[in-house]
């Protein structure tokens, strides 16, 4: 989390490359724009520009190596938390390859591992190092994780070769940084509700119906929204994930509990994002005690669970749209129907639903958009064994009444960011 509310902190990483001198100009531009700049250098970086230069320009101490003092703050963690954005310019092939593989062997790389701030990487290197397969694979991996690569320019290089590898212009790196800083505040003052994970519908105290949903998507969205300044309420079914930073987390088990929790917080929202894999059915009755094996084979009758998204979206429709129609194909719990004139606060929340499909993905999503009165359905094809439920990566189709946009295959964290850009 940023150290201060008003002044944004840019963490600038400088690695060992002849273009390091251009980072001095970058610091000057950031300072002129009123930003706080902290510089972290790799040992090789200091061979090209002295820390004293950056200390003078930034008016801040320069971070060089972990301080060997048990009473001192843990430097990479402090830097990681202070940063609103982490810009590495110039970034050598060596540092890029380390970042892609999670190597933390100096203060700059350990800070990159520890920070949740957006990462901007401006590579600078020889053309052959740039074209090297390992370097390119590392760039793909970093992009998939949400890093922004500021492409190098092509031209005459310091080593005498000509080709790609020259650090992007300082103005371009500056502009990209400002875009990221603005994005970091893009949800300030907004209230967002997210549902996540599976639900458990108990047959008896030890057995339940559920789904393999990991909750990763909903948690990534909640955390990214909080990082952008939103007030986030995350209502989560049982998952193996820690509470995301900066969110109010309400843990529930069943669909009915999830609906009740969502109803309690469904007020003054700017957006409601329903990622939970809610069990559509629950046993009509839950045995009070464990059903014993020796008992006659039990017969389980299932009844429909309320559709949380459809129930709440229909209420928004009823409250704000006098011509609202009943929700087709959904099963809003009648016991939770809104009181006439129910109070949803002063906003009409933007409603986002998810659809994990195995066939006719876009068509199914379009139908859900209509049936559930959502503003956007994020559809994904879970028929592929490498994408979907348990995987870390996915490809999303953003389906609205007007258009369909399809993302690249990205990490769920990067997809969460993309979704919030669309809000
Ligand atoms: N959803 C919900 N409550 C339910 C079922 C679904 O809030 N009881 C939400 C999900 O969180 C998701 C969207 O509705 O955002 C679509 O869920 P999905 O399971 O794909 O759709 P269903 O309506 O259950 O339709 P089906 O299982 O027949 O595809």
């Amino acid at each position: 989390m940023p150290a201060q509310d008003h002044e944004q902190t840019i963490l600038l990483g400088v690695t060992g490359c002849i273009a390091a001198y251009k980072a001095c100009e970058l610091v000057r531009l950031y300072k002129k724009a009123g930003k706080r700049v902290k510089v972290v250098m790799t040992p090789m970086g200091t061979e090209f520009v002295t820390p004293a230069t950056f200390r003078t320009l930034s008016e801040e101490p320069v971070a060089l190596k972990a301080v060997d003092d048990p009473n001192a703050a843990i430097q990479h963690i402090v830097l990681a938390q202070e940063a609103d954005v982490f810009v590495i310019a110039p970034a050598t092939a060596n540092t890029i390859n380390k970042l892609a593989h999670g190597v933390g062997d100096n203060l700059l790389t350990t800070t990159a591992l520890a920070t949740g701030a957006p990462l901007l990487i401006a590579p600078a290197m020889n053309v052959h190092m740039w074209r090297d397969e390992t370097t390119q694979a590392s760039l793909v991996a970093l992009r998939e994780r949400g890093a922004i690569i500021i492409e190098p320019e092509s031209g005459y290089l310091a080593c005498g070769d000509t080709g790609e590898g020259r650090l992007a212009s300082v103005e371009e790196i500056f502009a990209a940084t400002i875009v990221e800083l603005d994005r970091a505040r893009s949800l300030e003052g907004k209230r967002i509700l997210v549902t996540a994970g599976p639900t458990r519908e108990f047959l008896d105290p030890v057995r339940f119906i559920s789904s393999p949903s990991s909750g990763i998507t909903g948690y990534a969205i909640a955390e990214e929204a909080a990082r952008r300044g939103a007030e986030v309420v995350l209502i989560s079914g049982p998952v193996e994930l820690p509470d995301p930073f900066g969110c109010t987390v309400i843990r529930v088990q069943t669909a009915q509990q999830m609906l009740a929790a969502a109803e309690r917080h469904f007020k003054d929202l700017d957006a409601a994002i329903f990622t939970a894999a809610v069990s559509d059915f629950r046993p009509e009755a839950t045995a009070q005690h464990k059903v014993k094996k020796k008992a006659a084979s039990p017969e389980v009758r299932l009844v429909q669970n309320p559709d949380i998204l459809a129930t709440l979206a229909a209420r928004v429709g009823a409250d704000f749209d006098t011509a609202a129609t009943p929700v087709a194909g959904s099963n809003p719990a009648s016991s939770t129907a809104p009181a006439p004139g129910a109070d949803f606060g002063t906003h009409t929340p933007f409603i986002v639903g998810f659809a994990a499909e195995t066939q006719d993905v876009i068509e199914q999503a379009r139908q859900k958009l209509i049936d559930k009165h959502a503003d956007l359905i994020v559809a994904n094809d879970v028929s592929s064994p490498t994408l979907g439920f348990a995987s870390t990566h996915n490809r999303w189709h953003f389906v609205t009444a007007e258009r369909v946009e399809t993302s690249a295959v990205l990490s769920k964290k990067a997809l969460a960011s993309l979704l919030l850009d669309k809000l």
Side-chain angles (χ1 to χ4, degrees), residues 26-69:
L26 199 50
V27 175
R28 215 184 53 76
L29 289 180
Y30 291 151
K31 291 293 286 181
K32 212 168 138 198
K35 308 299 177 194
R36 177 170 179 248
V37 186
K38 298 275 291 181
V39 176
V40 56
M41 302 181 77
T42 61
M44 275 303 283
T46 64
E47 302 278 325
F48 288 87
V49 179
T50 66
T53 307
F54 285 114
R55 190 165 55 240
T56 311
L57 291 171
S58 67
E59 302 170 280
E60 295 274 350
V62 172
L64 298 169
K65 55 182 178 190
V67 182
D68 191 15
D69 173 358

Side-chain angles (χ1 to χ4, degrees), residues 41-129:
M41 302 181 77
T42 61
M44 275 303 283
T46 64
E47 302 278 325
F48 288 87
V49 179
T50 66
T53 307
F54 285 114
R55 190 165 55 240
T56 311
L57 291 171
S58 67
E59 302 170 280
E60 295 274 350
V62 172
L64 298 169
K65 55 182 178 190
V67 182
D68 191 15
D69 173 358
N71 299 317
I74 303 172
Q75 219 181 347
H76 61 283
I77 303 296
V78 174
L79 288 170
Q81 287 176 346
E82 278 182 330
D84 288 285
V85 62
F86 189 7
V87 184
I88 305 180
T92 57
N94 185 35
T95 292
I96 288 169
N97 289 326
K98 283 193 228 172
L99 293 176
H101 292 93
V103 175
D105 63 344
N106 58 43
L107 192 55
L108 187 152
T109 49
T110 43
T111 305
L113 276 175
T115 193
L119 187 60
L120 264 71
I121 298 173
M125 64 195 72
N126 165 273
V127 59
H128 302 296
M129 293 171 88

Side-chain angles (χ1 to χ4, degrees), residues 13-24:
V14 179
T15 69
C17 164
I18 182 64
Y21 76 92
K22 295 186 184 170
C24 300

Side-chain angles (χ1 to χ4, degrees), residues 195 274-280 305-309 352-357 368 372:
T195 68
F274 298 88
T275 74
V278 183
S279 173
D280 288 329
N305 259 329
D307 188 311
I308 301 167
L309 191 177
V352 181
F354 274 68
E357 306 291 349
K368 280 179 187 168
K372 302 199 183 208

